[in-house]
Amino acid sequence: MSNLISPLLPVMLPVLICAFLGVLWSRFRQPFDQEFVRRAVMWIGAPALIIATFGQTGIGVESLKQTLLVSATLLALNGLFAAVFLLVSRLSLRNFMVPLVFGNSGNMGLPLCLFAFGEEGLALSLGVFLTTSILHFSVGVAVLDGRAAIKSTTTSPLIWAGVLAMSMVFGHWQLPQSLLNSLDILGGMAIPLMLITLGVSLSSLRMSSAFRSVMLGVARLGLSMAAGFAAVWLLDVDGLLRKVILLQAAMPSAVFNYLLAMQYGRSPSTVAGLVVSSTLLSFITIPALLLYLGL
């Protein structure tokens, strides 16, 4: 048993420790301005991480194109599977489609890919994160409230950072090293803050309609994993990208889905339960997947 567990500790333990620090912070009732931290990550940390990583890892044009294509295919298949599931279950497409489709590719996906596959894995996972973020803040918001989609898309710093990062890769140019070093420092705050915020957020969420929430949480993991395997099979993806796609597909529902559900009045209590249950279940399913991937 120890031979199975020991390779997973360097990958899972940092994630668990950082998230647990967030839980403890909340339990000891220490002040934590989630809105400030969210804005700091979304407006500074994550955009800087995207630009700095793409600017220094040397990811190729073809590799980035393939990552974006596979990521979009994963989300499209996940959306199709989720729509069928919700229609069969007679649940609201508008309320639950978004949390079933968009996983926690940032808070959990980025650090897990970094710890599991190194800097190259982080670069590929940032392509997944970028695709997910663009579609989450455009198509996802349009599903919740079509009127807010254009503003959400055009004002997201993540999207503009992604445009700059992709222009660097496709145009074969780089920012000055001094600027990249500055962005590297700023981007360094993103992953730990994401994980601590995840712990704080989960400790404050309360499950309502437990059976429905757990059912949706199981569906999130099952449908997304099915979409991940289908995407890499359809596009004949192998190697490191296949591992990154499958690991990102195994992420639980993003905490941000709860904030959007609250903002647009889309069954926030049930979505909160979906986020909590899928996150707790993922601490079982992700190690199993990592073993399958041969970590």
Side-chain angles (χ1 to χ4, degrees), residues 98 135-149 152 260 264:
V98 172
L135 293 176
H136 200 170
F137 291 113
S138 56
V139 178
V141 171
V143 171
L144 296 169
D145 185 346
R147 295 169 298 178
S152 177
L260 290 174
Y264 298 113

Side-chain angles (χ1 to χ4, degrees), residues 79-80 82-88 90-100 143-144 266:
L80 175 62
V84 172
F85 169 78
L86 291 171
L87 288 172
V88 171
R90 296 185 178 181
L91 295 172
S92 170
L93 285 169
R94 199 147 204 180
N95 286 359
F96 303 119
M97 171 74 84
V98 172
L100 285 179
V143 171
L144 296 169
R266 299 294 177 189

Side-chain angles (χ1 to χ4, degrees), residues 174-187:
Q174 280 192 335
L175 294 171
Q177 190 60 47
S178 56
L179 184 53
L180 282 175
N181 289 342
S182 301
L183 291 170
D184 198 35
I185 292 172
L186 292 170

Side-chain angles (χ1 to χ4, degrees), residues 109-110 113-114 116-127 240 244 248:
L110 293 182
C113 288
L114 172 63
F117 310 123
E119 290 293 333
E120 188 179 356
L122 175 62
L124 293 175
S125 69
L126 278 167
L240 180 58
V244 168
Q248 283 282 25

Side-chain angles (χ1 to χ4, degrees), residues 137-276:
F137 291 113
S138 56
V139 178
V141 171
V143 171
L144 296 169
D145 185 346
R147 295 169 298 178
I150 295 177
K151 180 180 179 181
S152 177
T153 303
T154 56
T155 59
S156 172
L158 285 172
I159 292 177
W160 291 109
V163 170
L164 177 59
M166 286 189 290
S167 72
M168 292 167 60
V169 176
F170 293 136
H172 303 286
W173 64 278
Q174 280 192 335
L175 294 171
Q177 190 60 47
S178 56
L179 184 53
L180 282 175
N181 289 342
S182 301
L183 291 170
D184 198 35
I185 292 172
L186 292 170
M189 74 175 178
I191 287 176
L193 278 179
M194 282 178 174
L195 290 173
I196 292 172
T197 303
L198 174 65
V200 172
S201 299
L202 291 177
S203 67
S204 64
L205 296 182
R206 296 293 179 265
M207 290 183 65
S208 177
S209 304
F211 175 77
R212 177 177 292 182
S213 295
V214 172
M215 178 185 70
L216 288 168
V218 172
R220 158 62 207 170
L221 297 177
L223 295 172
S224 185
M225 281 302 303
F229 277 103
V232 297
W233 176 74
L234 284 172
L235 299 175
D236 194 24
V237 178
D238 57 11
L240 180 58
L241 180 56
R242 178 179 183 272
K243 294 180 179 181
V244 168
I245 291 294
L246 291 179
L247 185 54
Q248 283 282 25
M251 293 303 109
S253 185
V255 175
F256 207 85
N257 288 317
Y258 169 65
L259 301 178
L260 290 174
M262 285 192 65
Q263 182 175 350
Y264 298 113
R266 299 294 177 189
S267 298
S269 58
T270 304
V271 172
L274 190 169
V275 172
V276 171

